[in-house]
Amino acid sequence: MKIKVINKSEYDLPQYETEQAAGMDVRAHIQEPITLRPLERTLVPTGLYVEIPEGYEIQVRPRSGLAAKYGLT
């Protein structure tokens, strides 16, 4: 399946890092660090624009280590 992606960030497109990887790392496209207070939420831009085919979805999930150590989700 071909998916149209526009990348406006300075990073390469996400890719699988190992053969057994279940997901890809997406980097934040930000100019300054983002600091969150407890229970605070914010949108974090990626610079990626994806044309998602009908009937499909993209999921963004926390890295397991960050979720476990810092409660990021």
Side-chain angles (χ1 to χ4, degrees), residues 9-52:
S9 78
E10 63 273 16
Y11 302 109
D12 292 334
L13 287 176
Q15 61 186 21
Y16 293 105
E17 297 296 329
T18 65
E19 193 172 312
Q20 299 298 318
M24 304 174 211
D25 290 342
V26 177
R27 291 169 175 81
H29 180 61
I30 56 176
Q31 302 303 315
E32 299 177 10
I34 296 172
T35 301
L36 299 175
R37 294 184 188 93
L39 301 177
E40 188 175 9
R41 294 167 178 83
T42 191
L43 295 176
V44 179
T46 64
L48 300 176
Y49 299 82
V50 182
E51 187 176 299
I52 304 167

Side-chain angles (χ1 to χ4, degrees), residues 1-5 50-53:
M1 168 184 325
K2 293 190 179 208
I3 297 175
K4 183 177 179 180
V5 179
V50 182
E51 187 176 299
I52 304 167

